[in-house]
Amino acid sequence: MPENNIWSEEFGAATDAPILLIMGSMSQGVLWPDEFVGRLTAGGRRVIRYDHRDTGRSDTIDFDKEPYTWDDIKNDVLRVMDAHGLNSAHLVCHSAGGLLGQLIAVERPERVRTLTVIGSSPLGGGEGAVIMRALMGEPQPEGSLPPPAPEFVEFFRALITNPPPADRREQIDLMIAEQRVLHGTGLPFDEDAARLLQERIYDRARDLSAVANHRRAAAANPDFEPVGVLDQIKAPTLVIEGTCEPAKPGHSALIAERIPGARLMMVEGMGHTLPMEVHEELATAILAHTAA
């Protein structure tokens, strides 16, 4: 398979300790807020964020001709590090990006200085199956991960069954509605800020529909996540979850339990997004973690 081009950008001094920001499935790198990135660089870090393949300004791929799996998306992380001349970096990951970070910490420990996982699920925990059963209204087997919140399930059930947006305005309105659900109920929702963000995401995407290829990649290799390997992670690990997490409630505690020495941090009022109100708390914790 020919290598695709991955868009990335970096901030801060080249001599500072590097932090690579890894966003979640179907998500552009600019979902790492500029103000949050600025706090990290002001704290003496070289910060890199990037767009996954099939998102934002990275290449879109004809999946029928060049199918890929989440192993390839994971390897893109290492390609970004190589392109920026990094033998190792502090990995700061959100949502499904946390699965990538956990797996790299298992497979390539020499490349991970520290690991920070925000709003994610434990590697090998079957998160995708839990969400799918919730959307289908099926019972969860004993011992499975906690299911998403009812408002999350209601929104995504409707998203699956409703017709697609007809134009840019309808699409952005739908993206804002999704952000509102993921934001949770613990902090005020800034709709004006949400509109600016989603307009930016819409306008910088080469092909907004291409993000669906991430689902196809997951289906192409359902055994992507190894089971029972988190105890192999040696990198100092910080696990962060909001107290109003709607997508993966309680998953972070399970990650922290399974990674030796990991520390769990709960952020009051935060959901599954990174609003302005939590930037200082998150940045302060990450700066301290990556300085240790």
Side-chain angles (χ1 to χ4, degrees):
M1 179 189 300
E3 284 197 344
N4 58 297
N5 294 308
I6 300 293
W7 175 90
S8 66
E9 62 180 350
E10 69 170 76
F11 307 84
T15 53
D16 288 341
I19 289 178
L20 178 62
L21 301 175
I22 307 173
M23 189 37 74
S25 174
M26 303 187 290
S27 299
Q28 298 182 19
V30 295
L31 279 170
W32 294 106
D34 295 344
E35 195 270 349
F36 171 72
V37 171
R39 286 181 179 272
L40 295 178
T41 57
R45 301 293 182 273
R46 175 188 178 191
V47 182
I48 298 163
R49 63 182 176 184
Y50 73 99
D51 291 338
H52 291 297
R53 60 173 67 196
D54 277 323
T55 76
R57 294 179 182 172
S58 290
D59 281 357
T60 56
I61 297 170
D62 185 334
F63 195 89
D64 292 324
K65 292 182 178 179
E66 299 176 10
Y68 61 86
T69 70
W70 268 81
D71 267 315
D72 297 304
I73 299 176
K74 175 205 68 181
N75 290 335
D76 287 342
V77 177
L78 302 175
R79 290 176 54 210
V80 171
M81 292 175 64
D82 292 342
H84 287 267
L86 300 177
N87 291 324
S88 65
H90 301 281
L91 303 188
V92 176
C93 320
H94 185 263
S95 195
L99 298 176
L100 301 175
Q102 291 170 67
L103 186 53
I104 292 169
V106 169
E107 293 183 344
R108 301 295 304 274
E110 76 282 1
R111 305 210 67 171
V112 184
R113 300 188 187 187
T114 66
L115 178 64
T116 301
V117 180
I118 306 170
S120 190
S121 298
L123 186 70
E127 169 213 354
V130 169
I131 292 177
M132 184 56 64
R133 285 192 293 265
L135 294 177
M136 299 299 292
E138 298 174 355
Q140 302 287 351
E142 185 177 353
S144 63
L145 295 172
E151 58 270 21
F152 176 99
V153 174
E154 180 182 356
F155 176 84
F156 284 97
R157 276 180 181 166
L159 186 65
I160 293 169
T161 57
N162 289 342
D167 53 29
R168 179 180 185 275
R169 180 173 180 176
E170 284 190 9
Q171 179 67 58
I172 289 173
D173 285 344
L174 179 61
M175 291 160 68
I176 293 170
E178 179 178 347
Q179 185 178 341
R180 184 188 296 274
V181 170
L182 295 176
H183 178 84
T185 58
L187 296 169
F189 182 72
D190 187 339
E191 185 157 348
D192 291 337
R195 185 167 297 279
L196 288 173
L197 174 61
Q198 299 305 334
E199 287 175 346
R200 182 183 185 186
I201 288 171
Y202 184 98
D203 292 336
R204 69 189 300 278
R206 293 179 184 271
D207 178 0
L208 202 64
S209 67
V211 299
N213 286 341
H214 284 199
R215 294 197 187 99
R216 299 179 71 183
N221 181 14
D223 298 324
F224 160 73
E225 299 180 42
V227 178
V229 297
L230 289 183
D231 61 352
Q232 299 176 24
I233 292 180
K234 305 302 182 185
T237 302
L238 173 63
V239 188
I240 301 174
E241 183 176 311
T243 59
C244 296
E245 168 66 58
K248 309 174 187 196
H251 294 201
S252 294
L254 299 174
I255 301 173
E257 286 176 7
R258 297 173 188 178
I259 297 178
R263 182 167 66 90
L264 176 64
M265 171 182 168
M266 301 298 296
V267 178
E268 186 63 36
M270 188 175 79
H272 197 64
T273 61
L274 304 172
M276 180 74 72
E277 293 90 340
V278 304
H279 291 176
E280 181 176 4
E281 184 175 0
L282 290 179
T284 299
I286 291 167
L287 288 171
H289 182 58
T290 55

